[in-house]
Amino acid sequence: MLTSQPLTVTQLNKYVKFLLEEADALRGLCVAGEISNFKNHYSGHWYFTLKDAGAAVPAVMFRESNRRLGFIPQDGMHVIIRGRASLYERDGKFQLYADDMQPDGLGALYLAYEQLKERLAAEGLFDPARKRPLPFFPARVGVITSGTGAAVQDILKILARRCPASEAVLCPVAVQGAGAAAQIASAIALFNEQQAADVLIVGRGGGSLEDLWAFNEEITVRAVAASRIPVISAVGHETDVTICDFAADLRAPTPSAAAELAVPDLADLLGGLYSLRSRIEQSMLHDMQSRRFALENLLSRRVLRRPEELAWASRLRLDYASQRLRDAMKARLIAEDARLSRAAARLDAMSPLAVLARGYAIAMKGGHPVTSARELDPGDKLRLTLGEGECHVIVWEA
């Protein structure tokens, strides 16, 4: 027979929850396992089971925590979860509450890499139209990398050798481990705020995928894409490709190559200038010689040696032209005079005066010429026009 006061189920679950949450060992847990039964709830919370070969435990990761991750877990992915263990009172269910999650192993890292790259590409962060040309002769080159690695020494040496006139501005940051991505992103933002450089080199030396992971995190990639200063991504060796490479304005295969791409080689520029000056001098000399030859050729011509001959020739051509004009006018006058004479002869032949001169007369009655005897009556008075003079007559018989 029970002698103590019984607990309610609610009291029991609250008590167990209290014990679990008060246990220091269960507050900052790091648990490794495989994801299964993953569910991305419409609320944004993630529900899943974390299991290994011998056991399984329910887990939840609320939206406020999972939104900071650069990947979405999938069934079968091995992860490391940081969080706490507690009890869900309503169901009396023991479960993990995840505050952070990291892929465990290269396979999971590659999956996270591909997921983030695909998502940012869909946003247009890698669009070639966003990429800007590098300045030809930057006054200041910003370098964001570890202050103690071999990469920074290579970069600074090459910058000093190739272009001593360009100032190198170093902002040392952590390039791997916790907080490295945030430091890199903050350095990029600081260079932009202070307008402290004309071009940025962001990178580090080679390493494993885990070592280079800070350059695959979303905060770093977005900082590179948002930079108003052109960015050269120089991470690892030639075969290493990070997501920052896609967001940068230019990818360099190595940090040393980035330094060579950032500034021109002054020795090459000076050599080019000397070559250009030599070509200009040769061109000017050739042009002067050509012009001198042309001038001497002009001066040797007779028209310049005896310019009066040009006037004589012109005067002679004018005389010839004047004579041809006079001859043409004379011929035209003769032709017109002959044409006029022929017209006058034709007119003279048709003149009534010529008819009268041959003995004919014109009879006029009342101011009108008489052309028929029927027009006359005895006693009519007529005026006769003869070849020479006029007379008046009276019709005797008609």
Side-chain angles (χ1 to χ4, degrees), residues 86-386:
S86 186
L87 189 78
Y88 183 44
E89 289 183 38
R90 193 193 71 179
D91 298 338
K93 183 171 67 175
F94 174 77
Q95 63 182 12
L96 292 176
Y97 291 84
D99 296 323
D100 190 20
M101 180 187 299
Q102 296 294 332
D104 183 17
L106 291 180
L109 284 178
Y110 279 123
L111 178 60
Y113 173 98
E114 290 297 333
Q115 286 183 349
L116 180 60
K117 185 177 76 169
E118 182 178 349
R119 179 160 58 86
L120 297 183
E123 292 183 25
L125 261 65
F126 310 150
D127 192 339
R130 292 172 52 93
K131 300 184 184 301
R132 294 153 300 178
L134 304 183
F136 175 71
F137 206 130
R140 290 174 295 182
V141 179
V143 181
I144 301 175
T145 188
S146 170
T148 58
V152 67
Q153 298 302 323
D154 292 340
I155 291 172
L156 296 178
K157 287 179 182 177
I158 291 173
L159 291 177
R161 172 177 56 80
R162 286 177 62 87
C163 190
S166 294
E167 177 186 3
V169 182
L170 174 64
C171 182
V173 295
V175 293
Q176 71 182 71
Q183 287 190 35
I184 297 169
S186 296
I188 294 173
L190 181 61
F191 268 106
N192 279 270
E193 291 170 6
Q194 301 294 327
Q195 298 182 353
D198 302 304
V199 64
L200 294 178
I201 298 175
V202 180
R204 55 156 291 162
S208 65
L209 181 61
E210 294 92 332
D211 293 339
L212 306 181
W213 195 252
F215 298 90
N216 290 321
E217 294 196 33
E218 185 170 356
I219 186 175
T220 312
V221 180
R222 290 194 180 277
V224 169
S227 175
R228 297 184 303 276
I229 303 172
V231 176
I232 303 174
S233 178
V235 183
H237 302 299
E238 186 169 359
T239 56
D240 297 321
V241 180
T242 65
I243 302 180
C244 280
D245 293 336
F246 298 101
D249 297 290
L250 183 66
R251 175 189 180 261
T254 63
S256 299
E260 294 180 354
L261 293 169
V263 295
D265 191 336
L266 282 187
D268 291 342
L269 289 179
L270 290 175
L273 288 176
Y274 292 145
S275 176
L276 180 61
R277 185 177 68 178
S278 177
R279 290 199 300 270
I280 291 174
E281 290 175 349
Q282 291 296 324
S283 177
M284 291 178 63
L285 181 60
H286 180 267
D287 185 61
M288 290 176 62
Q289 291 175 344
S290 298
R291 292 176 182 272
R292 181 179 294 110
F293 175 77
L295 179 60
E296 292 174 351
N297 185 44
L298 288 173
L299 292 175
S300 65
R301 294 184 179 181
R302 186 176 62 180
V303 68
L304 292 180
R305 290 186 289 105
R306 299 184 62 185
E308 64 277 8
E309 291 187 1
L310 181 62
W312 294 341
S314 298
R315 185 179 297 119
L316 184 60
R317 288 195 297 271
L318 180 61
D319 291 343
Y320 287 155
S322 299
Q323 184 61 45
R324 288 197 299 271
L325 181 60
R326 286 193 295 268
D327 293 344
M329 291 176 63
K330 184 177 180 181
R332 181 66 178 272
L333 289 173
I334 293 172
E336 292 298 325
D337 185 63
R339 190 164 68 88
L340 181 60
S341 298
R342 288 192 298 271
R346 287 195 299 270
L347 288 174
D348 186 60
M350 298 172 61
S351 173
L353 297 177
V355 176
L356 296 176
R358 293 198 297 271
Y360 294 93
I362 300 174
M364 302 291 290
K365 177 184 176 181
H368 300 285
V370 179
T371 60
S372 173
R374 291 190 298 271
E375 299 177 17
L376 300 175
D377 296 315
D380 287 343
K381 293 181 180 181
L382 303 178
R383 182 169 58 87
L384 297 180
T385 301
L386 306 173

